[in-house]
């Protein structure tokens, strides 16, 4: 898929989590706990973000958002379309972003009929305990629309700071 994707696949989850914590702190995004999962985020203050959820069972959810791409569904206001991008992700991971308060990195899209909400994401990726996956619904939408999933999700840009495939040392105190 991409060099960064391959490097992420090769990085042990404990190291991914460490990098998420370091970059979140550097971006001044406070970590939080959501239903037992640790949430870390990054944003560039310009509309791009990466949000990570790490479960105690060794699984993870990664959402990327780039406001300058065709996967910016914020203006669409289509709850069903946004929800469909999560298809194929285990329900317990999706619950981490459904009906949650929004924050700077994760805005909500509401279903007018039910009042349910889900976090906006251009890219939806998850770790099953052994390897990373791109969500089926995300990939199907990209294929239908003729979009490159790695480019349009902002994956490369949003994960650049994490330096997967390269050393990342925490800043000295």
């Amino acid at each position: 898929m991409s060099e960064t994707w391959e490097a992420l696949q090769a990085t042990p989850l404990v190291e991914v989590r460490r990098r998420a914590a370091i970059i979140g702190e550097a971006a001044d995004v406070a970590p939080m706990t959501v239903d037992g999962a640790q949430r870390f985020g990054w944003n560039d203050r310009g509309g791009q973000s990466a949000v990570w959820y790490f479960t105690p069972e060794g699984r993870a959810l990664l959402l990327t958002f780039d406001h300058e791409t065709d996967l910016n569904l914020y203006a669409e206001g289509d709850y069903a379309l946004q929800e469909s991008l999560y298809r194929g992700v285990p329900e317990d991971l999706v619950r981490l972003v459904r009906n949650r308060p929004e924050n700077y990195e994760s805005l909500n899209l509401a279903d007018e009929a039910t009042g349910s909400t889900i976090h906006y994401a251009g890219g939806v990726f998850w770790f099953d305990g052994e390897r990373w996956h791109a969500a089926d619904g995300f990939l199907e939408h990209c294929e239908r629309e003729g979009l490159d999933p790695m480019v349009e999700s902002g994956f490369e840009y949003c994960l650049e700071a994490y330096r997967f495939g390269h050393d990342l040392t925490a800043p000295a105190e």
Side-chain angles (χ1 to χ4, degrees):
M1 285 175 80
S2 77
E3 184 178 315
T4 301
W5 178 255
E6 296 302 323
L8 176 63
Q9 291 284 2
T11 305
L13 191 64
V14 66
E15 176 62 13
V16 173
R17 187 190 174 290
R18 183 186 80 83
R19 289 170 185 242
I22 290 169
I23 299 305
E25 184 176 328
D28 201 26
V29 178
M32 62 178 26
T33 302
V34 177
D35 285 353
Q38 285 268 232
R39 177 196 180 273
F40 298 97
W42 163 88
N43 68 69
D44 68 358
R45 307 268 191 260
Q48 286 68 238
S49 63
V51 180
W52 306 84
Y53 294 85
F54 297 93
T55 72
E57 302 82 34
R59 294 181 308 135
L61 177 67
L62 165 62
L63 307 179
T64 60
F65 185 79
D66 184 339
H67 85 283
E68 296 181 0
T69 70
D70 288 336
L71 281 171
N72 175 356
L73 302 176
Y74 188 77
E76 304 273 330
D78 187 336
Y79 178 86
L81 176 57
Q82 182 64 72
E83 178 82 28
S84 76
L85 296 187
Y86 289 91
R87 197 177 70 64
V89 177
E91 181 57 32
D92 64 318
L93 292 177
V94 178
R95 276 196 307 266
L96 297 171
V97 297
R98 190 180 284 128
N99 300 315
R100 300 290 176 179
E102 66 180 16
N103 53 65
Y104 189 85
E105 295 78 36
S106 301
L107 300 175
N108 278 333
L109 181 61
D111 182 350
E112 291 182 23
T114 66
S116 294
T117 64
I118 194 156
H119 288 331
Y120 278 104
V124 180
F125 309 92
W126 62 285
F127 185 77
D128 66 9
E130 294 183 23
R131 64 191 273 288
W132 285 94
H133 305 269
D136 296 340
F138 159 66
L139 292 176
E140 289 164 3
H141 176 76
C142 288
E143 186 174 325
R144 248 188 338 271
E145 299 296 319
L147 304 174
D148 180 322
M150 291 296 141
V151 171
E152 296 300 323
S153 68
F155 185 85
E156 292 290 329
Y157 178 80
C158 292
L159 269 60
E160 184 176 17
Y162 299 93
R163 298 185 41 81
F164 292 110
H166 306 281
D167 287 338
L168 178 70
T169 305
E173 299 277 332

